[in-house]
Amino acid sequence: PPFPWQLSAPASVLFASFGWIPSLFNSTTTAFPDVNNSIECPDMISWDIITNSLPIYIFIISALGILLNVFVILVFCLHKKPCTVAEIYLSNLAAADLLLVSCLPFWAVNIYNNFNWPFGLFMCKVVNLGIKMNYYCSIYSLVLVGIDRYIALVHAMSHGRMRRPKYAKLGCLLVWIFSLVLGSPLLIFRKLEYIAQYNVTACYLEYPNEKLALFSDVMLAIVSFLIPISVITYCTLKIILALKNKSMDRFHTERTEKKATILILAVLGAFFICWVPFHLISILDVLHRAGVIQDCYASNVIEFCHQIVSYLAFFNSILNPVLYVLVGKNFRKKMWEVFHQWAILRPVTSDSTRSHLSSTLKTTA
């Protein structure tokens, strides 16, 4: 079957809302009538490179992401000391990234399979719900991280009691519940249907009408981008100002907080670089679908850019664990201590096993 940008306008709309990688199925700016202005809108961009490389790229990102994020979670979980508040939030972020990279291979297989979804209706709904939940879990975990650093460095004396592990765990739980609630419409509107015209069994998101689809996209931009980015930006600016206060160096506790904050700022910076372009292009895409942007060339550019920034957003899921190792001194310390614990535990376990086997043989003899 032809790719979505080769389909007629109704079929393109049918394939629109691919889920978390909407740009691949969001092209209404094709060589067919434009759904907004009913004029010929020729495709001016070659898509062969993107469509051929996308499954390979997703598989690489998924393999690296699963390996690295599982490693991060294991380091935090296996270390003999309990996690700090900041580490609880970072491990929650790693769990959200792990959820994303675990779901992406299903879509890679779907693309490689000429957009035939082979996994059934249940997985069609669940996989896309997991991808959508990463939307919210990632950014709101960073909101919690930013607020935690803000309290630790700016209001340590007045609000320090709020920074307790039990509150951090409760905050992470609420983020997951919040993400599940916001992603739940996918369980209702996500469908699996055979399209005889193209001989494709498609897993797609079909809202009752276009107004509801646009409302959903606008709310997504507000709830998953504008609000959290505003909070993160405010906290980050306050944190940077607090780090410039040289008097903090006199206190060991504050120096420890500064080390953790440097890692947090690196993670926040990586998130901004990887995700802000995606959300900005998504907003432009909503404006195009609403008829605000009607220029054919602009529509093609938005569609192409949506592909590129989607790849960039994927990369954030493997960038965070790398930053933990390269920038996080405390994480590296924990990592080596876990390796040391494991190195000591292996000989002890081996000696215990040999001793038990020897005593068993003596008893049987």
Side-chain angles (χ1 to χ4, degrees):
F3 289 113
W5 45 84
Q6 297 172 313
L7 305 178
S8 61
S12 295
V13 173
L14 178 68
F15 280 103
S17 303
F18 168 68
W20 187 82
I21 319 174
S23 52
L24 192 60
F25 290 94
N26 225 8
S27 179
T28 54
T29 54
T30 66
F32 299 91
D34 185 272
V35 294
N36 291 320
N37 51 28
S38 299
I39 62 172
E40 292 294 315
C41 195
D43 190 358
M44 296 169 252
I45 297 174
S46 174
W47 298 90
D48 290 343
I49 297 178
I50 288 180
T51 53
N52 292 334
S53 61
L54 182 57
I56 299 173
Y57 178 84
I58 292 177
F59 276 125
I60 293 174
I61 289 294
S62 299
L64 291 176
I66 291 172
L67 181 65
L68 293 174
N69 285 289
V70 167
F71 171 74
V72 168
I73 294 172
L74 286 177
V75 168
F76 284 137
C77 292
L78 296 180
H79 195 268
K80 56 186 177 182
K81 292 182 180 179
C83 290
T84 64
V85 172
E87 289 169 346
I88 290 173
Y89 292 139
L90 290 178
S91 61
N92 194 66
L93 180 61
D97 287 335
L98 180 61
L99 175 65
L100 171 66
V101 295
S102 299
C103 292
L104 288 179
F106 291 94
W107 273 116
V109 171
N110 183 60
I111 297 169
Y112 182 77
N113 201 34
N114 290 325
F115 306 106
N116 280 283
W117 181 263
F119 304 108
L121 178 61
F122 177 77
M123 292 303 293
C124 169
K125 292 177 179 287
V126 170
V127 167
N128 285 280
L129 175 63
I131 293 173
K132 182 69 74 173
M133 286 179 66
N134 170 266
Y135 243 28
Y136 302 106
C137 280
S138 294
I139 195 162
Y140 280 100
S141 293
L142 290 176
V143 168
L144 293 177
V145 165
I147 293 174
D148 172 69
R149 293 295 89 197
Y150 172 73
I151 294 175
L153 295 176
V154 181
H155 295 291
M157 300 300 293
S158 57
H159 301 290
R161 292 182 180 180
M162 296 173 60
R163 299 185 61 250
R164 294 182 179 178
K166 64 177 182 180
Y167 295 144
K169 293 175 183 178
L170 178 61
C172 293
L173 177 61
L174 292 176
V175 164
W176 282 97
I177 295 174
F178 177 69
S179 303
L180 178 61
V181 171
L182 291 179
S184 58
L186 290 179
L187 296 177
I188 302 172
F189 300 118
R190 178 67 60 171
K191 296 183 178 181
L192 183 66
E193 185 175 319
Y194 176 72
I195 314 297
Q197 182 181 358
Y198 302 104
N199 193 29
V200 169
T201 302
C203 172
Y204 66 97
L205 186 62
E206 184 181 41
Y207 288 101
N209 53 69
E210 183 63 17
K211 288 184 178 180
L212 182 58
L214 287 173
F215 174 78
S216 175
D217 289 342
V218 170
M219 290 304 298
L220 177 66
I222 294 173
V223 176
S224 70
F225 178 59
L226 296 178
I227 293 176
I229 285 295
S230 300
V231 176
I232 291 173
T233 301
Y234 174 81
C235 293
T236 302
L237 292 176
K238 290 293 185 179
I239 290 168
I240 293 173
L241 290 176
L243 287 175
K244 292 181 179 179
N245 185 359
K246 300 298 182 182
S247 62
M248 292 179 61
D249 291 336
R250 295 177 300 173
F251 305 98
H252 174 73
T253 303
E254 279 75 4
R255 287 201 299 269
T256 303
E257 295 290 357
K258 286 179 69 174
K259 289 180 181 179
T261 303
I262 291 172
L263 172 59
I264 298 302
L265 290 177
V267 172
L268 289 174
F271 184 86
F272 271 78
I273 293 172
C274 293
W275 278 97
V276 169
F278 175 82
H279 285 289
L280 292 178
I281 295 296
S282 296
I283 291 173
L284 292 177
D285 181 66
V286 170
L287 294 176
H288 162 61
R289 290 168 55 199
V292 177
I293 299 176
Q294 297 186 357
D295 179 72
C296 287
Y297 180 75
S299 299
N300 276 271
V301 170
I302 290 172
E303 178 62 27
F304 183 80
C305 290
H306 217 159
Q307 299 292 330
I308 303 302
V309 296
S310 295
Y311 303 159
L312 187 61
F314 293 158
F315 187 70
N316 185 244
S317 295
I318 66 173
L319 185 58
N320 286 334
V322 174
L323 289 176
Y324 297 161
V325 176
L326 296 181
V327 182
K329 293 182 179 180
N330 291 335
F331 180 83
R332 287 201 302 272
K333 182 180 178 182
K334 279 199 167 189
M335 179 183 68
W336 292 120
E337 288 174 353
V338 168
F339 286 158
H340 184 64
Q341 289 173 216
W342 183 73
I344 293 176
L345 186 61
R346 268 190 78 188
V348 172
T349 307
S350 179
D351 292 342
S352 170
T353 304
R354 282 197 296 268
S355 174
H356 178 70
L357 181 60
S358 175
S359 62
T360 304
L361 291 174
K362 287 179 181 178
T363 305
T364 19

